[in-house]
Amino acid sequence: MAPDMRWWGWGEDASARHAPPDVIAWFEGELGPLNARGGHVALDDVRLDPPELPEVVRSRFAEILRDDRQARVLHARGKSYPDLIRQRAGDGAGAPDAVLTPRSHEEVRAVLDACAAAGVAVVPFGGGTSVVGGLEPLREGFSALISLDMGALDTLELLDERSQLAVVGGGIRAVELDARLAERGFTLGHFPQSYEHVSIGGCVATRSAGQASTGYGRIDDLVVGARLAAPAGDVDLRAQPASAAGPELRRLVIGSEGVLGPITQVAVRVRPLPELTRYEGWMFPSFGAGAEVLRRLEQEDIAPDVARLSDEVETRMGFGLAGLGSVRATALGAYLRARGVAHGAAAIVGWGGGEDAVRSRRETAVEVLRDGGGVAIGQQAGKAWVRTRFAGPYLRDELMDRGVLVETLETATTWTQLFRLYRAVGDALRTHAPLVACHISHVYPTGASLYFTFMAPARAGKELEQWGEVKAAASRAIVEAGATISHHHAVGRDHARYLASEVGETGVAALRALKRELDPAGIMNPGKLLPPG
Ligand SMILES: Cc1cc2nc3c(=O)[nH]c(=O)nc-3n(C[C@H](O)[C@H](O)[C@H](O)COP(=O)(O)OP(=O)(O)OC[C@H]3O[C@@H](n4cnc5c(N)ncnc54)[C@H](O)[C@@H]3O)c2cc1C
């Protein structure tokens, strides 16, 4: 985690971007008048219990241990709306008793051994960006809990250029890895919206997907080896291009969310840095028409690397955020009206690679985009998306300051079921929140993801109850539709109760058995992934 990460919000003060007045005015048009600026309590006013780490652990790891206020508060939670509501209100209940930052796999092992012997729970901490309660310090019967900050395991241990393979420490941040790879002409190609802060181990533990995952693949597709420090022993899965040596244990490490042990090393596939990238905007008459085009592109194996399609509400919001709230009055508005897509759905598509490859891939895709009713709105829209692609979370802080409940959730299903799911989740959200927007950002031959953003005036002092109601309604709609409870945010604490409806009771029992075997004392990230009970 970056040392300057805001403990009450997103990112760092130095990088914070502020929404101009016309953007705030656009939200007021949708949500009604927003409050004057609220904010957060001072760090000194966060309520913390005294640290209670057993002395035997404390003294042994004094060199890599912090239990000062800042470290404990920063590591107490992730970055979901309820996490930030509690942080801002100064609720530090349950904060880790200490933060330990091991510098090697061996040191991780020593910490785990000591914690297992002393009955101390361990929560691995990567970039601290979980949005599903994955970092919640749940003690579940343990008298003490540490946050195991993986940030010092940040080496690029090997770059095998010929095999296009890198071996890295589990705590390395994605931006740092890409910077080091770029020096030698490579990239991982994994860009979640939280890219500026995530760690690679955290991405693997949560099965993340990036903005270019349609082209590069999700993290699942990029991991070719991993080292897991389970309390019972190491699971060392060497990088293999493919294997038939029994069930694929690598797949059990990917998505293990810290409950089996810390991932201390990861081997990933890397690609040459693209010579050029080209991103551009398209408008479709409707979300349905655009989705049909994405389906065709993917199934005909000609999908761009980035393929994102906003529904009509998100498109309107996008114009609002670009300062084009009254787009209808602009030249762009006239152009869109003339082509019958002024109230439609916007898409961003993008390609990377050599000049010839980008040109020919684009030409093939453009035929399908046009055939499906798409109207090109040019590279300016693509460039604007690239400029602002990581800015959304700063806007969330600002809206929260003004008393707005603002949260996201995501799911995925087959192409056949996609619009039934879209309507069911949208309807569930709209009974609680006046502004509900959605996009498709990851497409597969058999289906696609849906990512919802919802906003409502927050009920002051009752924000957590309000969030709980809307989250439960949406989760129920997802489960009833037979869709996945998470396409890329993971299970954490918030989705654990829905896991059985997705993988079945026997599936849950199999995961419990695996945990018992690898973590017999149950110290690893209690209360996450597996349903209570
Ligand atoms: C604004 C915002 C935008 C986001 N956008 C995306 C997106 O586009 N795509 C996406 O997939 N997700 C997204 N997320 C969710 C989050 O960024 C991802 O889940 C990310 O992969 C978490 O990585 P991290 O390093 O921050 O892990 P953390 O948040 O630190 O940890 C997440 C979970 O993994 C465990 N863990 C962390 N490191 C390790 C390790 N080395 N070994 C074992 N367990 C570990 C933790 O205990 C925890 O349960 C977003 C979150 C935010 C706040």
Side-chain angles (χ1 to χ4, degrees), residues 47-53 67 69 72 92 94-98 139 143-144:
R47 298 174 297 284
L48 285 175
D49 299 323
E52 296 209 345
L53 193 64
D67 60 3
R69 170 168 285 273
R72 291 181 67 207
D97 294 287
R139 283 173 173 66
S143 58

Side-chain angles (χ1 to χ4, degrees), residues 15 26 61 135 161 180 251 304 316 367 370 386 397 401 428 441 453 474 486 495:
S15 321
W26 185 88
F61 297 106
L135 298 166
E161 297 188 10
R180 291 194 213 172
R251 294 273 166 190
R316 201 156 47 79
E367 280 179 33
R370 288 223 171 92
V386 170
D397 284 349
D401 280 351
S441 49
T453 302
S486 176
H495 297 146

Side-chain angles (χ1 to χ4, degrees), residues 216-230:
Y216 283 93
R218 346 167 10 115
I219 200 78
D220 316 32
D221 308 311
L222 302 176
V223 174
V224 291
R227 191 173 195 199
L228 177 81

Side-chain angles (χ1 to χ4, degrees), residues 380-402:
Q380 275 313 104
K383 286 180 183 156
W385 174 75
V386 170
R387 242 189 350 264
T388 55
R389 62 199 281 200
F390 303 126
Y394 287 104
L395 177 62
R396 176 177 67 164
D397 284 349
E398 207 160 338
L399 290 170
M400 285 183 73
D401 280 351
R402 292 166 188 268

Side-chain angles (χ1 to χ4, degrees), residues 25 34 46 58 71 87 100 141 147 159 190 258 268 271 350 366 411 464:
L34 302 182
V46 177
R58 201 175 190 295
Q87 295 285 84
L100 269 66
S147 172
L159 174 58
H190 191 63
V268 280
R271 320 274 172 99
V366 160
T411 175
L464 295 179

